[in-house]
Each structure stands twice: as C-alpha cells, then as structure tokens.
Amino acid sequence: MALIVHKYGGTSMGSPERIKNVAKRVAKWHDAGHQIVVVPSAMSGETNRLLGLAKEITAQPDPRELDMLASTGEQASVALLAMALQAIGKQAVSYAGWQVAIKTDSAHTKARIRSIDDTKVRQDLDAGKVVIITGFQGIDELGNITTLGRGGSDTSAVAVAAALQAAECLIYTDVDGVYTTDPRVVSDARRLKTVTFEEMLEMASLGSKVLQIRSVEFAGNYKMPTRVLSSLTDPLMPLEEEAISGTLISFEEDTKMEQATITGIAFNRDETKITVLGVPDRPGIAYQILGAVADANIEVDMIIQNQSVDGKTDFTFTVPRGEYTKAMAVLNEKVKTHIGAANITGDAKVSKVSVVGVGMRSHVGIASQMFRTLSEEGINIQMISTSEIKISVLIDEKYMELAVRALHKAFGLESA
Ligand code: ASP
Ligand code: MG
C-alpha cells in the first residue's frame, strides 16, 4: 500500500463522462489498497472562459479579483469528481486550496506555494477516503485566494505529493509521455521511459507542453518521483501495466534504463538575435547593455561578446520573439548613444536547437558530432552555448526542422 497523488488535466476532466472515467480509474487504484489524493484541473476551456469574461468587463482586471474568478474552475471540478466517486460507492471529500490549507505568497496570478498543511488530508486518508484537492490555487497570508499561473495544477499536484511524502505523483494527461523530440516534427520520435528532472528542465521547450515547468523544479527539489502518463487509456486497464506506462521523471542517472548519450532534441522557434556593434571594450559595458534589457523585464538567453578590434567590440544576444520590438526600442533609446555604439542590428527569424542528455557528462565528442551533422546539411551556426548537459545552436529559422530531424537521426534517437 502506498500514498499516491493523481493529477488530471483539463481534457481528462472535460465532460461528465470523462469525470466518471477519472472516478473509475481512481477507484481502481484505491481498490488495490493505495491511499489516493487527486488534484484535478478545471474542465477544459473553463479557465479561458472565465478569464475571457473578465476581459469583457475591463481591459485591466484587478489581479486579486482575477484569482477569485479563475479559481472557481477547479472548485467545480473537485466537487464533480467527489460526486462521481461517491456515485460508484467510494468515500470521497473535496477541498479548495484554502481549506487544506495550501499557503502561497501574495503574487496574484503567479503565486508560489510556501507550505501545505497535511493534517486534514491524512485524517481523511486514514479514514479510507479519497481526498480531492483543487489544483492551481492557494491562499495568501491575508486570506486572499491566489492562483499559480497557467498550467499550475501540475505544480499543485507535485507540491501536495511532496508535502505528503507520497510514493509517486502521477500526472495523467492527453499525451502518453515525454518524447525524444516533438513527434510533429520527427514522426519516429520515441517515448522515453525515463528522463532525469535536469533533462526535463533543459527540454523545457518540449516539456513545457506536457508539464508546467515549475512542477519539474518542485519534483527536483523534493526528489518526488513524477510520472507523465495518458488519461485516454481504458480506465480499467490492468493497474500493473498502467503503473509503469508513460515517462518517469527520475533522479538517479545511473539507474537510467536507456543509456543513450543524448536523451532528446529540444528546440525553440521563437528566438531573435540582437547585435550591438562597435561598443568601447571597457568594464561595465556588458552591464550597461544587458542591464537595460533586464530592467525592461526582458529575458536574455544566449550571449556572446566578440574579440575587440581597436578597442571596440560587438555584443550579440538573443531575446524571445515577443520581446524583440521592446528590446530594440530600449537599446535604441537608452543605450545606443549613452555607450557610443556604432549601430544596433537584429534578426527576428532565428531558432534555437539543442541536444540534451546527462550522458554528455561522461562522453566526449557530442559537440563535434552535432556540428558535423549540421555542416553536412549545409546549416550555418550563428551562435553556440553549452551547459553541462546541453549544447544549443542558433540557426536560421528556415532550417530548424531540418536540423532537428538530422540530429535526431545522427544521435540514433528514432524508435526501433
Ligand atoms: N486551470 C488552470 C489553467 O487552465 C490550471 C491548470 O489547468 O493546470 O491554466
Ligand atoms: Mg496542463
């Protein structure tokens, strides 16, 4: 017998029929002798609907009131699931975040969980009940309802699992796991049986479609084994089979089953590149350029500074596409004349492709294999950045899919 947390996404909770299926699946796990806590999302489309209503009232809704509103989606789904379980003879009780309580900071619409009180939940579990807790929401010190940002139910589930020291957190969703790359780009992409949480963080561009990235950080910090698996299977499929399906986010690199050097190919289409040309090469220049960008709340990713010639140098860095215009404006208005830059140029059509894998730590030659593969395809590399388990290159966006396919093949990631 183990304590297990199940999380169901909006699609899984999307209709009364689907909620009944969730109840069947949960009951199956409970019948097998496990203690089960369920953290569901709002029914699919509901959060969007609520936020849309707010926009119809005012262009700038008060964040506190937005949380008050958006949190109702999850409150409806927990109650419906409790009813569905009771209807098939299971004892079940639902709680909103404030009733547990899940305490957060006061950053409305993007709050962070601070603590979770497990007293009430444990009592219910010990009394044989299935406990259902709203995802996505909590309560701040002053008693205001907060929400954790879009996709936040994943984080709620992993946090609840960590607080209860659950054996595993199962994230049921409409995909059946994490893949070596996006199957829409590479048709023979393979589902990974395991992925370390560090790899999962590095593959954010792929993984974030599956999990809210903050939930992966939580899983890492609390060493909570977290599994992503399909909720579209037969709810009554054999439990032993279900329990090992999907992708397990793991921690022990050495227990990795699939010992490939590279685990996956991640990519981000929406990059832009900005170059500040001919700036004096002296202390403080990087700070003046990138500080101004950071002050405008723009996230900078890759950065290179060229060698200086005659006391002048060039700076190149990338920002997300949505921030490009703003970044260019900040640089042209606040930085250019101030630091005496010759010019500022940009390219809004670049993409980033990365090879990711903890195997990189113990294997040499990954970078050269990556660069050879790209050169054989005639793809020009504009920037390179590396971390311990990732090598990224910036390329022209028109070659992105070609690069992903070529690298996927070169590193032997396709399904057998
Ligand atoms: N219902 C919230 C959203 O749509 C939270 C979640 O589903 O994880 O973002
Ligand atoms: Mg989600």
Side-chain angles (χ1 to χ4, degrees):
M1 187 196 84
L3 198 167
I4 295 171
V5 173
H6 283 197
K7 186 261 167 178
Y8 292 91
T11 317
S12 326
M13 296 292 293
S15 67
E17 244 5 88
R18 291 194 176 167
I19 293 175
K20 287 182 193 171
N21 275 337
V22 168
K24 281 186 204 155
R25 199 183 290 279
V26 169
K28 175 181 75 183
W29 281 79
H30 196 260
D31 287 341
H34 299 300
Q35 294 190 317
I36 305 291
V37 176
V38 189
V39 179
S41 293
M43 295 171 77
S44 59
E46 180 62 6
T47 311
N48 285 345
R49 188 185 72 87
L50 293 165
L51 296 177
L53 287 175
K55 283 275 180 231
E56 281 184 44
I57 299 285
T58 163
Q60 306 251 284
D62 175 18
R64 181 193 180 278
E65 301 310 327
L66 267 183
D67 281 353
M68 193 71 183
L69 176 70
S71 61
T72 63
E74 272 70 12
Q75 195 168 321
S77 60
V78 289
L80 291 169
L81 181 56
M83 291 173 201
L85 278 158
Q86 289 162 0
I88 55 172
K90 282 282 168 203
Q91 287 188 70
V93 58
S94 70
Y95 292 116
W98 62 270
Q99 291 173 304
V100 172
I102 297 176
K103 299 245 173 74
T104 71
D105 61 22
S106 299
H108 285 292
T109 75
K110 47 177 185 296
R112 285 182 178 263
I113 295 177
R114 283 194 173 148
S115 67
I116 297 179
D117 184 354
D118 65 352
T119 324
K120 210 183 305 191
V121 180
R122 282 198 192 280
Q123 281 167 2
D124 290 327
L125 290 173
D126 291 341
K129 292 180 194 164
V130 174
V131 181
I132 309 160
I133 304 173
T134 49
F136 183 51
Q137 61 172 265
I139 186 171
D140 78 356
E141 237 171 20
L142 301 169
N144 300 300
I145 290 178
T146 54
T147 66
L148 311 180
R150 297 310 303 271
S153 298
D154 296 332
T155 302
S156 306
V158 178
V160 164
L164 291 166
Q165 294 171 304
E168 204 168 291
C169 181
L170 305 182
I171 312 264
Y172 288 90
T173 178
D174 48 6
V175 295
D176 66 353
V178 179
Y179 280 72
T180 48
T181 194
D182 188 337
R184 282 168 301 188
V185 173
V186 180
S187 56
D188 59 358
R190 182 169 42 87
R191 182 171 55 79
L192 295 161
K193 291 202 179 80
T194 62
V195 60
T196 71
F197 92 95
E198 288 165 296
E199 289 169 332
M200 189 72 190
L201 286 178
E202 293 286 18
M203 296 209 289
S205 68
L206 305 172
S208 61
K209 287 179 200 122
V210 182
L211 280 181
Q212 193 194 40
I213 217 63
R214 208 191 281 171
S215 72
V216 181
E217 288 166 8
F218 242 101
N221 290 343
Y222 292 92
K223 290 243 179 305
M224 175 50 54
T226 300
R227 184 180 293 276
V228 176
L229 69 173
S230 175
S231 68
L232 305 174
T233 53
D234 175 3
L236 298 179
M237 78 185 266
L239 190 144
E240 315 76 58
E241 222 177 281
E242 186 172 310
I244 55 164
S245 66
T247 301
L248 177 68
I249 300 170
S250 65
F251 308 96
E252 309 301 317
E253 286 162 27
D254 12 24
T255 63
K256 266 193 73 168
M257 302 298 287
E258 298 152 295
Q259 269 306 350
T261 347
I262 294 303
T263 302
I265 313 291
F267 56 82
N268 185 1
R269 294 174 199 273
D270 298 327
E271 299 277 348
T272 63
K273 181 178 78 167
I274 296 177
T275 302
V276 184
L277 292 151
V279 295
D281 190 8
R282 60 173 150 75
I285 284 293
Y287 171 63
Q288 285 179 48
I289 296 173
L290 299 170
V293 176
D295 287 347
N297 257 320
I298 299 167
E299 204 186 315
V300 171
D301 182 18
M302 302 167 114
I303 305 171
I304 47 172
Q305 183 188 343
N306 283 349
Q307 213 165 10
S308 66
V309 178
D310 300 331
K312 299 268 188 189
T313 184
D314 304 332
F315 257 98
T316 305
F317 53 91
T318 61
V319 300
R321 233 168 252 191
E323 310 274 27
Y324 178 70
T325 318
K326 188 164 143 206
M328 284 300 254
V330 167
L331 291 165
N332 277 311
E333 281 158 29
K334 302 208 176 122
V335 180
K336 194 174 168 192
T337 40
H338 186 62
I339 60 168
N343 202 4
I344 296 173
T345 62
D347 183 349
K349 291 191 167 160
V350 287
S351 296
K352 186 170 78 167
V353 176
S354 313
V355 299
V356 177
V358 289
M360 243 181 247
R361 289 196 179 120
S362 49
H363 285 77
V364 292
I366 306 293
S368 67
Q369 189 175 349
M370 179 182 194
F371 303 153
R372 185 175 62 232
T373 305
L374 295 171
S375 95
E376 280 165 7
E377 298 294 337
I379 299 170
N380 185 40
I381 300 171
Q382 303 182 13
M383 288 173 89
I384 300 169
S385 77
T386 62
S387 78
E388 219 188 329
I389 65 164
K390 179 171 87 165
I391 305 167
S392 305
V393 296
L394 194 75
I395 59 175
D396 188 321
E397 68 167 8
K398 26 177 215 280
Y399 301 122
M400 197 212 75
E401 298 206 355
L402 174 64
V404 172
R405 277 194 283 269
L407 291 166
H408 197 268
K409 192 154 202 282
F411 286 102
L413 293 175
E414 64 274 78
S415 40

